[in-house]
Amino acid sequence: MKALVICSGGMDSVTLAHKMAQDHELTGLISFDYGQRHRKELDFARACADELDTEHILMDIANIGRQLTGSALTDDLDVPDGHYAEDTMKITVVPNRNAIMLTIAYGIAASRGADAVATAVHGGDHFIYPDCRPAFTSSFETMQRHALDGYAEISLFTPYVHVSKADIASEGLRLGVDYRKTWSCYKGGEKHCGRCGTCVERREAFHLAGGIDPTEYTDADFWKAACNV
């Protein structure tokens, strides 16, 4: 299977990129600058592509992102602290973000003769992000079959859609992924804050996976209270 991997530079998508490089054939990694405050993640995506000796495609959709208002990731709103499973995290939803990214990725994959578009949506995303849920990914794949009918046959590969971030961490540790070369924090500071939803979930994932988290956090212990550990 030749796959184009959507890679943000975070631990999930970087793990997926390594998985695809080992088990299949990479046609490239594609990342999106949608005006996110944590756009430093894109540097980590590029570094992942370099490590895996594949092309890094960076799509500038910042003009689109500016129209997707109301999210703490794109507007001047505070990124909330706490676990992903809290209602406060809904302010980090960027409406239709994944649908837009996948549509672009599918077009490029079709043009380059890929067999699949791979994305690292996972079970922990379902509560907050509707375009990470199995019903969405299944429906999107069906829609794209119609959109490319007679031109290309491309599957949507979502190996993590029914598993947890801890399962992703376990796989990445097995694959030897260097998680120091990934970025998760939504606040986009010099170091991972340790308090936002992505930082808390990241730290919890390593804990549940029984692995060592090499990430340097500004607040390294906040996750314990957020996760009732």
Side-chain angles (χ1 to χ4, degrees):
M1 179 170 65
K2 295 188 295 184
L4 178 65
V5 177
I6 296 178
C7 184
S8 67
M11 67 175 290
D12 307 329
S13 60
V14 168
T15 301
L16 178 59
H18 279 264
K19 173 184 176 66
M20 298 305 292
Q22 176 177 282
D23 298 343
H24 302 284
E25 179 183 343
L26 285 176
T27 61
L29 307 185
I30 183 168
S31 305
F32 296 87
D33 181 348
Y34 57 93
Q36 64 269 45
R37 69 170 67 203
H38 58 299
R39 63 172 54 88
K40 67 182 295 179
E41 66 180 357
L42 301 172
D43 293 333
F44 292 84
R46 184 179 65 252
C48 179
D50 290 344
E51 182 177 353
L52 296 176
D53 193 26
T54 193
E55 181 182 8
H56 182 233
I57 304 166
L58 177 59
M59 299 299 300
D60 184 351
I61 58 170
N63 285 336
I64 295 174
R66 278 190 282 273
Q67 304 305 315
L68 307 180
T69 57
S71 172
L73 301 192
T74 55
D75 286 5
D76 188 19
L77 302 169
D78 289 337
V79 175
D81 295 337
H83 198 278
Y84 257 0
E86 298 177 21
D87 281 332
T88 54
M89 294 301 155
K90 290 182 179 178
I91 200 171
T92 63
V93 171
V94 179
N96 236 32
R97 178 184 61 176
N98 282 0
I100 294 167
M101 293 178 180
L102 282 168
T103 298
I104 295 171
Y106 255 83
I108 293 173
S111 297
R112 299 190 177 198
D115 304 306
V117 171
T119 182
V121 295
H122 64 84
D125 291 331
H126 298 173
F127 177 73
I128 299 296
Y129 304 113
D131 55 2
C132 292
R133 296 170 187 161
F136 166 77
T137 56
S138 176
S139 298
F140 189 91
E141 183 177 34
T142 299
M143 180 269 289
Q144 284 296 320
R145 286 198 184 117
H146 290 291
L148 294 170
D149 185 34
Y151 183 82
E153 293 185 12
I154 300 174
S155 63
L156 181 56
F157 190 58
T158 56
Y160 304 141
V161 72
H162 294 294
V163 305
S164 70
K165 199 178 189 80
D167 294 318
I168 296 173
S170 294
E171 177 160 76
L173 292 168
R174 177 181 60 80
L175 291 170
V177 176
D178 184 353
Y179 284 114
R180 294 172 299 178
K181 299 178 180 179
T182 65
W183 184 268
S184 297
C185 183
Y186 276 164
K187 296 184 181 180
E190 184 177 343
K191 296 190 294 187
H192 283 75
C193 72
R195 300 179 65 92
C196 70
T198 49
C199 281
V200 168
E201 191 190 37
R202 178 184 175 109
R203 183 63 187 86
E204 180 188 36
F206 282 105
H207 170 70
L208 294 175
I212 295 174
D213 183 357
T215 313
E216 186 177 1
Y217 298 98
T218 299
D219 188 338
D221 296 320
F222 177 80
W223 74 278
K224 295 178 182 178
C227 298
N228 296 314
V229 174

